[in-house]
Amino acid sequence: MNQQKEKFFQVQDLTKVYQMGEVAVHALRGVTMELYAGELVVLLGPSGSGKSTLLNIMGGLDTATGGVVSYRGKELTKATEKELTEYRRFHVGFVFQFYNLISSLTARENVSVVTEIAPDPMAPQQALDLVGLSDRLNHFPAQLSGGEQQRVAIARAISKKPAVLLCDEPTGALDSQTGIVVLQALERINRELGTATAIITHNVDIAGMADRVIHLSNGHIASVEINKVKKSASELQW
Amino acid sequence: MKGQVFAITLVVMSGVATFIMFISTMHSLDFTRSKFYREYNFADVFVNLKRAPETLKYKINDIQGVHQVETRVCAQAKLDIRGFKESVTARITSIPDDGDPLLNRLYIRKGRLPDPARDNEVAMNETFAQAHGLNPGDKFAAVINGKWKRLTVTGIVLSPEFILLMKTGAMTPDFKRYGALWMTRKAISKAYDMEGAFNDVVLTVYPGTALSDVVRDLDNILGRYGGFGAYGRKDQISHRLLSEEFRQLKTSSRIYPTIFICVAAFLLNIVMSRTISTQREQIGTLKAFGYNNLSIAVHYATMVMMIIATGVLLGIAGGIWFGKMLGALYMETYRFPFFHYILHPQVMIAVVVISVAAALSGTMHSLWNAARQTPAEAMRPEAPVKYRVSLIEKTGIGRWLSQPSRIIFRNIERKPVKTVLAIIGIATACATMICSGFFRDCIDYMVHIQFVLSQKEDMTVSFVEPTSYRAVYELKRMEGISSGEAFRSVPVRMKFGHRSYKTVINGIQPDSHLNILLDNHLKSISMPPSGILLTDYLGEILGVKAGDLLTVEALEGSRAVRQVPVVAMAKQYLGVMGYMNLEALNRLINEGDAISGAYLVTDETHREKLFQLFVQMPRVAEIVVRQNEIRSIYEIMAKAMLFFMFIATVMACSIAFGVVYNSARISLAERSRELSSLRVLGYTRGEIAYILLGELGFITLVAIPLGFIIGYWICAYVAHALTTDLYRIPMMIELKTYAQAALVVIVSAVISGCIVRHKLNNLDLVEVLKTRE
């Protein structure tokens, strides 16, 4: 199925070595994978397996030690600082474990931060509507619950209508009930807008909602499985 | 924290250095002056008179409380120094034929005192000799009592009487055009027909003697010998000017260090509260391990103390260095045989106590917060910061603001106290610059008032003795003189109620175009046919207003005492005196048509020739060329102004840099997570720099006008505090001074901004976004 779809990301023999003092840490040891348009992929692995490093490099936040990452045929691993900024600005949306909202701005303004610099954004209110926060537009982060803050972060990430959404442990700081609400929001975005979505998690239960599950372990891809039957986010529990 | 510690140390250092510089210079000069006075037997009472027999000395000696008396012969002479084509006058003072004077002894820097066997030898004061490059053995010409005489310099000397040699009424000393000479009593008496007589007395009194009684008795004795009125040390010109300088140093030593210490306390406050909030987890852990509040507080206090100690130590070293520099600068104008640099231990103790107290008061709040937390509370992350919609957005402007601009305004408003203090900090930097420019501006203004608006002549000629009005006609007939006006100058004592003041009355022509009196609005006042005009400050001293009757006692000629109505007050920044119609003044003192000199307007091409002619004229005592007078004011002031400008600029830069850099670094530390998030969302480096530095730009721009206001206040205070009868400081700040102040602040802010921008560029996105797990 995937083979007919556009290949958004092509990752080839990706390696990443961090120098921590005198110790060299091999975070990625030759990862090869793809991400296709419109699919929802869960990258599953324990802490230290290299999944965040992989996501950071795909998101243009970090550089690779070796190998190639290309986005729609353009090599990110060779891009300049300026090109990476543009890539992040126009093509990719991020969701982090700790939301990373601007605390001095309201929910609507946090979304506007992105819509103001995007070429063809949706209205901030529409984005917040999609994540079910239309009644929280003028609240500051300090006035929102963790789940609500994460949904604002999702609204912010999708408001520029990115081709790809990269989510790093989006439910990591939330209880299961709230986590499911957040995953429902991601699921809806993927379904309704067709945004290719990569979710990093160490939570096995989330894997059920993915089209494909990529298992990472110790800097390698251990296995890739395709979910024949995708679960809806509301069916998940942990 | 390296940069921040450096910036704070710089501010503490500047504060301590300026304090030490001003105070130690003042103490050193004071000590040096006292030592010089003591060792060289400086007199307590001074008086000039027309002429009295030497035998009168015994009567003076019998005045109760008088210790030592010395009679002298003093005279004014016109000099002709080879190679210097300008008017030079000198005051000649006699020294006893048997050597060193009893009072106001001379310190011989080079050579020897004149030989009583030779009547053509003089000793010369050091500043004058240096200005002309004269040394023992050199010769020059002088008109002494109307006769040309060639004199030989035998020695270069210093006198406690002329530590600062300055003509009364002048704006600044003029080393090239006014000198002091000493001749033996025999030689000068012969030249001025004063054998067996004297025209000047100096004396000392026993400790505890009432000076006013001695002055009264002395005036009673000398009244009929043409005494001009005795005065104590406090009115002796050199002593007074030096005391004024001490007052200025004292005022400066209060203002500037206070600014610095406050800024340092503020900086420590923001830096320490930030440090403590980032280290709250460690504090919690330490407390969980059993450390008590005191040891936590002591830990941070030690950190503060180390910063303060470095600042204080460097400041003391810098202060000594600057103090010696300033001392050396003073020594160019104020001449002492020696200069003892003194730094009292109590000054250093005061510096340490003040700095430590300020630092602790600045950090007390943060230390208290650190100590107060329970371990569990400290180990939890800080509660999220609450924000509100800023006031500026509520005005309706909000709609037009971009999200980054909103972030800026909301951050500014979230910490109003910090913002206000940062604004005040930067404003004081701006104010410091204004204060340093102010001195240049008020000198420019005084010169403008004095030499452009009031005195329109370009040459003033004074005669040796009062002369007939005919002399003006003679002068006007000379080639190259286009117009001339006579003036008369009479020393007087003015009395009103219980107040009295010794000064001069200038008689000027009623329709004068060359000497114009100005009112408070700088409009010219026409001279009424009778009555007297007083300079405004003299009016204040005497408590007189227009319409009052003033008692005037002439101190020369007939010594008439008359009642004169005060008609108006004239604005004048230099000296204090009265003005009258020339004829009315002569009537007052019962003199016909006598004049003391003339104001002249000359043709530039003839000026030098005219000058040479006047130098040759024995009846001409002094020629003042206005252009030279103005030039000399600036020559004398230039070095001092440059020094203070330098100090002020260093101070202003270190404050502006300290405040802006620290504020920027703290904002960066507090908001690196937000800024990184924005970078991740695709904001460019420039766009996030705008958020961080825009806040500081805004604070700086608000601070500058406030700095103008604070600067104006400080200048007004200084002008008020330093007002004396010698001079009043006009409250005048030029536009360019404001511009210069703003520029220095902006440049300092931009430099600190660039340093922080550099750090911003190196923001590690992944590192900053790393989750807590």
Side-chain angles (χ1 to χ4, degrees):
Chain A
M1 169 189 81
N2 285 333
Q3 271 68 14
Q4 287 108 48
K5 289 196 175 173
E6 188 192 351
K7 205 186 272 179
F8 270 7
F9 280 99
Q10 173 72 60
V11 179
Q12 195 73 46
D13 291 329
L14 188 66
T15 57
K16 177 73 185 179
V17 182
Y18 290 110
Q19 203 62 40
M20 304 282 273
E22 291 181 9
V23 186
V25 178
H26 293 262
L28 295 176
R29 301 166 187 265
V31 170
T32 299
M33 61 160 276
E34 301 84 27
L35 182 65
Y36 296 94
E39 73 167 340
L40 196 153
V41 169
V42 167
L43 291 155
L44 197 61
S47 148
S49 57
K51 54 191 193 306
S52 282
T53 308
L54 175 61
L55 196 83
N56 285 341
I57 296 173
M58 285 167 70
L61 300 178
D62 205 352
T63 52
T65 309
V68 176
V69 176
S70 44
Y71 167 75
R72 285 177 152 171
K74 179 144 179 63
E75 261 188 56
L76 290 180
T77 31
K78 282 188 181 159
T80 62
E81 170 63 38
K82 195 169 167 247
E83 287 166 334
L84 285 179
T85 302
E86 269 175 25
Y87 161 66
R88 293 196 301 266
R89 191 170 183 133
F90 302 129
H91 301 281
V92 62
F94 286 97
V95 177
F96 298 100
Q97 182 180 359
F98 288 106
Y99 336 127
N100 287 49
L101 296 179
I102 310 294
S103 48
S104 54
L105 299 179
T106 61
R108 188 211 306 260
E109 289 160 353
N110 260 290
V111 178
S112 302
V113 158
V114 168
T115 57
E116 270 180 11
I117 58 167
D120 177 30
M122 59 177 90
Q125 194 161 353
Q126 191 193 346
L128 286 162
D129 243 356
L130 277 172
V131 296
L133 282 178
S134 40
D135 55 338
R136 293 292 220 220
L137 296 177
N138 295 320
H139 286 63
F140 285 97
Q143 298 167 314
L144 297 171
S145 72
E148 286 172 328
Q149 289 188 53
Q150 190 60 300
R151 282 188 282 154
V152 174
I154 294 170
R156 179 176 68 180
I158 53 133
S159 60
K160 69 175 133 187
K161 300 185 194 158
V164 188
L165 196 55
L166 302 175
C167 313
D168 191 351
E169 299 277 9
T171 59
L174 305 171
D175 61 71
S176 68
Q177 221 177 343
T178 322
I180 284 166
V181 176
V182 166
L183 291 175
Q184 280 174 322
L186 288 174
E187 184 184 52
R188 186 174 170 195
I189 304 301
N190 174 254
R191 193 178 56 234
E192 291 181 11
L193 303 179
T195 313
T197 308
I199 301 173
I200 279 182
T201 181
H202 63 274
N203 186 344
V204 188
D205 300 302
I206 293 176
M209 69 183 282
D211 292 312
R212 279 194 303 148
V213 184
I214 299 173
H215 293 266
L216 274 149
S217 160
N218 205 16
H220 294 287
I221 291 185
S223 64
V224 179
E225 58 182 289
I226 296 166
N227 277 336
K228 297 244 169 56
V229 185
K230 249 168 79 171
K231 277 188 188 169
S232 115
S234 54
E235 295 170 75
L236 301 176
Q237 56 181 355
W238 64 86
Chain B
M1 243 175 93
K2 233 174 6 194
Q4 283 157 279
V5 168
F6 170 74
I8 298 173
T9 311
L10 196 70
V11 173
V12 174
M13 190 182 89
S14 305
V16 171
T18 44
F19 183 71
I20 296 271
M21 175 182 81
F22 286 126
I23 288 281
S24 70
T25 307
M26 186 179 81
H27 286 163
S28 306
L29 287 173
D30 197 16
F31 176 81
T32 306
R33 181 176 74 169
S34 303
K35 190 166 188 256
F36 190 27
Y37 282 178
R38 205 173 46 246
E39 290 178 5
Y40 287 80
N41 220 3
F42 185 47
D44 294 317
V45 179
F46 307 77
V47 60
N48 309 105
L49 53 143
K50 272 276 175 204
R51 182 193 177 97
E54 187 62 23
T55 47
L56 205 64
K57 179 180 173 181
Y58 303 106
K59 207 168 167 190
I60 296 170
N61 225 341
D62 286 344
I63 297 174
Q64 196 171 8
V66 169
H67 178 213
Q68 292 171 308
V69 179
E70 187 155 61
T71 61
R72 312 189 295 188
V73 174
C74 296
Q76 199 81 4
K78 195 169 48 168
L79 311 187
D80 183 17
I81 310 273
R82 183 169 297 169
F84 189 70
K85 291 189 177 139
E86 286 176 40
S87 172
V88 179
T89 49
R91 181 197 142 104
I92 310 179
T93 309
S94 69
I95 51 170
D97 293 333
D98 51 4
D100 209 16
L102 180 67
L103 301 177
N104 304 342
R105 289 176 49 222
L106 299 175
Y107 172 87
I108 302 170
R109 183 79 89 193
K110 273 191 227 172
R112 59 168 174 85
L113 290 180
D115 182 351
R118 299 203 182 106
D119 68 354
N120 63 344
E121 289 189 348
V122 291
M124 184 178 267
N125 76 310
E126 190 180 47
T127 45
F128 185 69
Q130 279 175 351
H132 290 285
L134 292 172
N135 277 303
D138 290 341
K139 291 181 170 49
F140 62 93
V143 179
I144 290 181
N145 201 16
K147 287 183 212 110
W148 277 103
K149 199 171 176 74
R150 252 191 116 56
L151 300 173
T152 306
V153 181
T154 60
I156 309 298
V157 298
L158 302 172
S159 161
E161 204 175 349
F162 304 120
I163 291 171
L164 179 66
L165 183 61
M166 191 160 129
K167 254 196 279 191
T168 327
M171 213 152 138
T172 52
D174 188 340
F175 303 142
K176 280 188 179 153
R177 296 170 193 83
Y178 189 58
L181 302 175
W182 286 265
M183 265 179 131
T184 59
R185 177 78 176 260
K186 199 168 135 191
I188 194 171
S189 297
K190 203 173 125 200
Y192 286 92
D193 302 322
M194 291 289 276
E195 278 130 332
F198 63 90
N199 67 3
D200 190 89
V201 183
V202 287
L203 56 85
T204 53
V205 296
Y206 286 109
T209 307
L211 214 59
S212 54
D213 292 347
V214 175
V215 165
R216 191 196 53 226
D217 292 349
L218 198 57
D219 281 349
N220 283 340
I221 293 171
L222 295 176
R224 61 195 195 90
Y225 298 99
F228 291 121
Y231 54 92
R233 247 188 216 187
K234 73 172 179 42
D235 291 316
Q236 201 263 346
I237 185 79
S238 159
H239 181 87
R240 265 205 74 178
L241 289 167
L242 205 46
S243 302
E244 285 306 320
E245 202 64 55
F246 292 171
R247 232 154 55 89
Q248 281 189 29
L249 285 170
K250 207 174 201 166
T251 310
S252 307
S253 74
R254 283 194 196 130
I255 297 174
Y256 298 109
T258 310
I259 292 177
F260 278 109
I261 297 298
C262 293
V263 172
F266 161 63
L267 293 182
L268 280 168
N269 175 290
I270 58 169
V271 171
M272 286 315 288
S273 45
R274 172 67 202 165
T275 310
I276 288 167
S277 76
T278 52
Q279 296 182 355
R280 50 187 283 140
E281 277 177 68
Q282 286 100 304
I283 295 171
T285 314
L286 287 173
K287 286 177 84 167
F289 285 158
Y291 281 85
N292 61 16
N293 286 344
L294 184 69
S295 48
I296 302 279
V298 166
H299 165 77
Y300 287 103
T302 312
M303 204 162 131
V304 173
M305 285 308 123
M306 276 169 70
I307 299 176
I308 287 290
T310 318
V312 167
L313 284 177
L314 291 174
I316 290 177
I320 292 174
W321 189 49
F322 282 149
K324 285 187 173 169
M325 247 157 79
L326 184 59
L329 199 66
Y330 273 114
M331 289 293 284
E332 287 186 20
T333 317
Y334 300 91
R335 288 306 169 111
F336 299 97
F338 37 74
F339 179 70
H340 288 287
Y341 183 79
I342 292 183
L343 181 55
H344 291 305
Q346 52 268 45
V347 172
M348 288 197 273
I349 293 168
V351 158
V352 172
V353 170
I354 294 168
S355 309
V356 168
L360 287 182
S361 69
T363 47
M364 199 80 85
H365 180 70
S366 328
L367 289 177
W368 168 243
N369 277 348
R372 204 182 45 171
Q373 291 163 6
T374 60
E377 189 191 341
M379 281 190 287
R380 268 199 297 274
E382 269 186 284
V385 187
K386 287 200 181 78
Y387 281 90
R388 287 178 296 140
V389 174
S390 64
L391 286 175
I392 202 157
E393 293 170 78
K394 287 180 186 159
T395 60
I397 297 171
R399 249 177 304 160
W400 313 105
L401 290 179
S402 66
Q403 302 312 322
S405 304
R406 267 177 229 272
I407 298 176
I408 293 176
F409 285 113
R410 288 181 191 172
N411 270 305
I412 289 172
E413 281 197 25
R414 187 172 67 84
K415 290 185 172 173
V417 177
K418 188 187 138 192
T419 305
V420 167
L421 288 177
I423 289 174
I424 293 174
I426 299 169
T428 51
C430 184
T432 311
M433 280 308 292
I434 287 181
C435 292
S436 81
F438 167 59
F439 284 98
R440 183 198 51 211
D441 290 346
C442 62
I443 287 166
D444 284 347
Y445 186 70
M446 282 161 99
V447 166
H448 177 74
I449 297 287
Q450 192 85 8
F451 296 106
V452 179
L453 298 184
S454 299
Q455 289 171 242
K456 305 219 172 233
E457 84 288 351
D458 44 39
M459 212 182 253
T460 306
V461 171
S462 316
F463 303 121
V464 176
E465 285 282 314
T467 310
S468 153
Y469 195 87
R470 274 202 319 275
V472 179
Y473 297 119
E474 283 169 31
L475 286 173
K476 284 210 271 197
R477 274 202 298 274
M478 288 171 76
E479 198 188 354
I481 294 181
S482 52
S483 70
E485 285 177 13
F487 69 87
R488 176 78 172 104
S489 195
V490 180
V492 293
R493 182 179 283 124
M494 295 179 183
K495 279 186 196 154
F496 186 75
H498 63 283
R499 303 181 194 187
S500 83
Y501 193 83
K502 221 181 86 180
T503 179
V504 295
I505 298 178
N506 265 351
I508 53 178
Q509 291 186 194
D511 50 351
S512 174
H513 296 293
L514 300 183
N515 196 330
I516 291 164
L517 296 172
L518 304 168
D519 66 9
N520 257 333
H521 308 288
L522 303 182
K523 295 256 164 40
S524 69
I525 309 173
S526 63
M527 175 61 72
S530 64
I532 187 167
L533 274 102
L534 299 181
T535 52
D536 49 355
Y537 195 66
L538 181 56
E540 276 178 40
I541 295 174
L542 292 169
V544 188
K545 53 188 188 307
D548 288 339
L549 265 185
L550 186 70
T551 308
V552 173
E553 177 193 350
L555 294 175
E556 70 169 44
S558 64
R559 301 184 80 86
V561 181
R562 296 272 194 278
Q563 302 273 89
V564 188
V566 176
V567 285
M569 299 293 160
K571 183 92 210 155
Q572 201 167 295
Y573 290 104
L574 277 179
V576 291
M577 61 182 79
Y579 290 94
M580 283 181 81
N581 180 310
L582 178 59
E583 281 176 32
L585 177 62
N586 274 332
R587 271 200 309 276
L588 181 85
I589 55 169
N590 301 328
E591 284 186 17
D593 65 346
I595 61 169
S596 308
Y599 302 122
L600 303 174
V601 175
T602 58
D603 182 0
E604 201 174 343
T605 50
H606 287 79
R607 214 167 280 160
E608 202 179 316
K609 213 176 97 198
L610 278 169
F611 176 77
Q612 289 304 326
L613 275 169
F614 290 140
V615 169
Q616 301 297 324
M617 286 182 185
R619 272 166 59 207
V620 171
E622 192 184 354
I623 314 119
V624 175
V625 180
R626 186 170 64 134
Q627 217 177 323
N628 298 341
E629 205 175 0
I630 298 173
R631 202 175 55 220
S632 117
I633 289 169
Y634 284 104
E635 273 171 15
I636 297 284
M637 302 301 292
K639 237 181 189 175
M641 283 203 286
L642 213 65
F643 179 77
F644 283 110
M645 202 74 185
F646 167 73
I647 296 272
T649 310
V650 169
M651 297 196 312
C653 289
S654 65
I655 294 181
F657 174 76
V659 174
V660 176
Y661 181 74
N662 271 303
S663 305
R665 280 308 307 272
I666 284 166
S667 298
L668 178 61
E670 281 175 351
R671 286 151 60 190
S672 57
R673 199 179 166 83
E674 277 188 8
L675 297 174
S676 300
S677 304
L678 289 170
R679 285 281 285 135
V680 169
L681 294 176
Y683 275 72
T684 61
R685 285 169 173 168
E687 283 163 339
I688 60 163
Y690 165 71
I691 295 175
L692 186 69
L693 302 176
E695 183 181 329
L696 291 158
F698 177 80
I699 287 176
T700 307
L701 291 182
V702 171
I704 288 171
L706 181 69
F708 291 166
I709 297 170
I710 296 176
Y712 187 89
W713 282 345
I714 297 178
C715 294
Y717 169 74
V718 168
H720 174 75
L722 299 180
T723 291
T724 66
D725 49 347
L726 295 172
Y727 49 78
R728 269 77 55 203
I729 296 175
M731 198 43 226
M732 174 51 63
I733 303 174
E734 295 276 351
L735 217 57
K736 70 166 186 232
T737 299
Y738 287 114
Q740 214 166 30
L743 187 74
V744 166
V745 169
I746 289 170
V747 168
S748 309
V750 166
I751 291 173
S752 19
C754 287
I755 300 175
V756 176
R757 167 85 202 251
H758 179 72
K759 292 204 178 286
L760 202 57
N761 286 349
N762 297 331
L763 211 56
D764 184 338
L765 301 185
V766 176
E767 186 68 28
V768 177
L769 291 175
K770 254 186 192 164
T771 51
R772 278 178 181 270
E773 61 183 341

